[in-house]
């Protein structure tokens, strides 16, 4: 169905179900319980990050996973998409549709220009070129160099770009909300559902972003299974041999680069739709590195891997980072005081501000033991259970007396 084979369609349905039910699945513990205060992740701001960065990682995987070309500059497209969206809010209205369209188009234009130059090289030289372009764009945005040259404001420098009351907003109606909305449907509006000690929050903005993530995931499946996807995998396997056959690989590479950049621009537009304030920090090289880590943790070249990797990193960043010594002491309060303090001292470096240490250890473990990322881990677990089931079946069959 939907042009997908049965396996891909089942995977798509699983992703759809997990996305729609995320406000429930991510709040497994009662709100006021110790576990709920520490590990519940079903609040709107974090769920938005899950789907937006999942979309960003999906787009990055189309380039890196299919072609093997590692870009260290994808945050540049995320940034220009964010700036384009905020400018649509300033010039037209708070309606998110023009902002989303502008973010994709502007990111696509920038990715064509950068890809045309960067793809003249391959390997580490391509990666360095994308990093150089991204850092140049970050510096231009941070200093508002173009704005100074034109004697106006383009990015507003280190302060960041936002919407002011005196902005034109020529398409804004008199009764329109003064915050991002979809034809009056406010992004930050939400519904709270209380069941016993549990609370589940369903926010408009999350589901709006989730729709684009699901569409992006569906499109990535179609690209992976298309003749273009096969061509990109062939280029990844041996680009020199493909060139010797007389095939010009550059148009395919540029197409993958531009599609990936437009995904990033869309993610940037969605970030601005959730919070109409953007700054140059979204274009810094560490943001590009985070995208790479998301893809590798989840599983490069797999369909669902980048989504899992993005979700894991954002979970660590927002949940593990808020665990402090007070929470740790409450966990181990049942132990004798000496043992309690020992356990807190052992775990303390890996939580709170030390969450990057947890990420680093996890990343090393994945690279060394699970080069296929979280997807490979899932396959191994399923393999263990399937072998156990087949073994049990064979055992029961062998003990059955013959008739």
């Amino acid at each position: 169905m939907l042009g997908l084979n049965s396996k891909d369609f089942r995977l798509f349905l699983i992703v759809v179900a997990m996305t729609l039910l995320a406000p429930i699945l991510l709040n497994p513990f009662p709100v006021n319980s110790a576990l709920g205060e520490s590990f519940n992740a079903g609040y709107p701001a974090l769920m938005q990050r899950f789907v937006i960065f999942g979309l960003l990682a999906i787009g990055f995987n189309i380039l890196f996973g299919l072609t093997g070309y590692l870009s260290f500059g994808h945050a540049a497209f995320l940034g220009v998409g964010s700036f384009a969206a905020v400018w649509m809010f300033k010039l037209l209205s708070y309606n998110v549709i023009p902002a989303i369209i502008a973010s994709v188009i502007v990111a696509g234009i920038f990715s064509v220009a950068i890809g045309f130059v960067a793809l003249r090289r391959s390997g580490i030289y391509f990666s360095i070129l994308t990093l150089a372009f991204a850092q140049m764009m970050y510096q231009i945005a941070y200093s508002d160099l173009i704005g100074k040259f034109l004697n106006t404001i383009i990015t507003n420098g280190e302060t960041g770009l936002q919407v002011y009351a005196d902005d034109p907003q020529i398409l804004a109606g008199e009764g329109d909300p003064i915050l991002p909305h979809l034809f009056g449907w406010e992004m930050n509006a939400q519904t709270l559902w209380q069941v016993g000690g549990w609370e589940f929050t369903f926010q408009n903005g999350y589901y709006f972003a989730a729709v684009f993530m699901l569409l992006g995931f569906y499109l990535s499946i179609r690209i992976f299974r298309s003749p273009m996807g096969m061509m990109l995998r062939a280029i990844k396997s041996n680009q020199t041999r493909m060139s010797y056959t007389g095939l010009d690989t550059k148009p395919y590479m540029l197409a993958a680069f531009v599609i990936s950049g437009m995904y990033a621009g869309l993610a940037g537009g969605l970030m601005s739709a959730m919070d109409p304030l953007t700054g140059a920090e979204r274009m810094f090289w560490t943001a590009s590195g985070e995208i790479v880590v998301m893809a590798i943790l989840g599983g490069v070249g797999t369909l669902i891997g980048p989504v899992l990797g993005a979700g894991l990193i954002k979970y660590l960043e927002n949940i593990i980072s808020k665990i402090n010594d007070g929470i740790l002491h409450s966990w181990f309060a049942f132990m004798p005081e000496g043992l309690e303090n020992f356990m807190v001292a052992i775990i303390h470096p890996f939580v709170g501000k030390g969450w990057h240490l947890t990420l680093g250890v996890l990343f090393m473990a994945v690279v060394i033991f699970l080069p296929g990322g979280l997807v490979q881990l899932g396959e191994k677990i399923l393999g263990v259970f399937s072998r156990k089931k087949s073994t049990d079946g064979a055992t029961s069959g062998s003990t059955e007396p013959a008739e």
Side-chain angles (χ1 to χ4, degrees):
M1 294 187 61
L2 300 178
L4 307 178
N5 60 42
S6 59
K7 182 179 179 181
D8 290 339
F9 184 67
R10 286 196 300 270
L11 177 63
F12 181 67
L13 287 182
I14 292 173
V15 174
V16 170
M18 292 177 62
T19 303
L20 295 179
L21 298 176
I24 298 175
L25 299 175
L26 295 175
N27 278 335
F29 307 109
V31 176
N32 295 323
S33 66
L35 291 175
E37 293 177 354
S38 300
F39 295 110
N40 278 356
Y43 53 92
L46 180 53
M47 291 193 299
Q48 289 168 7
R49 294 189 184 97
F50 284 156
V51 294
I52 292 174
F53 280 90
L55 176 67
L56 177 62
I58 290 170
F60 178 78
N61 190 49
I62 292 175
L63 176 67
F64 185 36
L66 284 179
T67 70
Y69 274 61
L70 176 58
S71 169
F72 280 121
H74 256 53
F77 308 127
L78 178 73
V80 297
S82 297
F83 282 115
V86 176
W87 267 110
M88 290 298 98
F89 293 147
K90 292 169 71 69
L91 296 176
L92 300 181
S93 74
Y94 268 120
N95 194 314
V96 295
I97 295 300
I100 295 299
I101 294 174
S103 65
V104 174
I105 293 175
V106 172
I109 293 172
F110 274 89
S111 58
V112 168
I114 293 175
F116 183 79
V117 176
L119 287 169
R120 294 177 179 272
R121 294 292 180 265
S122 60
I124 189 63
Y125 304 104
F126 167 81
S127 302
I128 292 175
L129 277 174
T130 56
L131 176 61
F133 275 115
Q135 282 302 100
M136 285 191 295
M137 293 175 65
Y138 162 77
Q139 192 58 43
I140 291 172
Y142 187 79
S143 62
D144 200 4
L145 185 61
I146 298 177
K148 291 177 180 177
F149 179 76
L150 298 176
N151 195 27
T152 186
I153 293 177
I154 301 297
T155 64
N156 207 24
E158 59 183 303
T159 305
L161 190 66
Q162 57 184 313
V163 184
Y164 298 104
D166 59 348
D167 286 327
Q169 294 193 309
I170 57 177
L171 298 181
E174 185 174 346
D176 287 351
I178 54 173
L179 67 162
H181 63 90
L182 177 65
F183 302 108
W185 196 58
E186 298 179 8
M187 292 293 101
N188 66 352
Q190 58 191 34
T191 301
L192 184 64
W193 182 33
Q194 293 182 323
V195 181
W198 284 263
E199 290 185 359
F200 307 111
T201 304
F202 303 89
Q203 191 201 44
N204 293 346
Y206 164 72
Y207 283 104
F208 178 76
V211 167
F212 282 97
M213 193 276 286
L214 292 174
L215 290 175
F217 183 69
Y218 171 76
L219 180 60
S220 73
I221 298 176
R222 297 302 300 268
I223 292 174
F224 267 67
R225 304 305 185 215
S226 68
M228 177 184 173
M230 295 178 62
M231 187 66 69
L232 293 175
R233 280 191 287 269
I235 293 172
K236 178 182 179 180
S237 176
N238 196 322
Q239 186 172 0
T240 303
R241 181 175 295 177
M242 295 295 293
S243 299
Y244 284 165
T245 63
L247 178 72
D248 186 5
T249 61
K250 287 296 189 296
Y252 293 96
M253 298 297 300
L254 183 60
F257 190 88
V258 172
I259 292 172
S260 184
M262 293 172 75
Y263 267 80
L266 174 59
L270 289 172
M271 292 177 70
S272 294
M274 302 302 113
D275 180 15
L277 168 64
T278 187
E281 70 278 354
R282 290 182 184 174
M283 308 171 76
F284 198 57
W285 70 270
T286 53
S288 295
E290 187 179 51
I291 301 170
V292 176
V293 174
M294 288 176 183
I296 294 176
L297 276 180
V300 175
T302 63
L303 291 170
I304 198 173
V307 180
L308 298 177
L312 177 61
I313 288 183
K314 289 304 163 183
Y315 185 87
L316 292 175
E317 180 182 345
N318 292 273
I319 300 299
I320 304 301
S321 65
K322 73 178 183 182
I323 299 176
N324 53 34
D325 285 353
I327 295 176
L328 292 178
H329 279 289
S330 68
W331 289 356
F332 302 107
F334 65 93
M335 295 181 174
E337 183 177 355
L339 185 57
E340 174 187 336
N341 292 334
F342 174 75
M343 293 299 297
V344 171
I346 292 295
I347 299 176
H348 170 79
F350 296 91
V351 297
K353 294 182 179 179
W355 75 271
H356 286 96
L357 182 57
T358 302
L359 177 61
V361 172
L362 180 63
F363 185 71
M364 287 191 298
V366 167
V367 171
I368 295 172
F369 302 107
L370 294 170
L374 297 176
V375 172
Q376 183 181 356
L377 176 62
E379 291 174 348
K380 287 189 173 183
I381 294 174
L382 290 176
V384 170
F385 282 103
S386 62
R387 284 197 298 271
K388 182 179 179 181
K389 184 177 180 180
S390 61
T391 303
D392 292 344
T395 303
S396 63
S398 62
T399 57
E400 185 74 15
E403 293 293 329

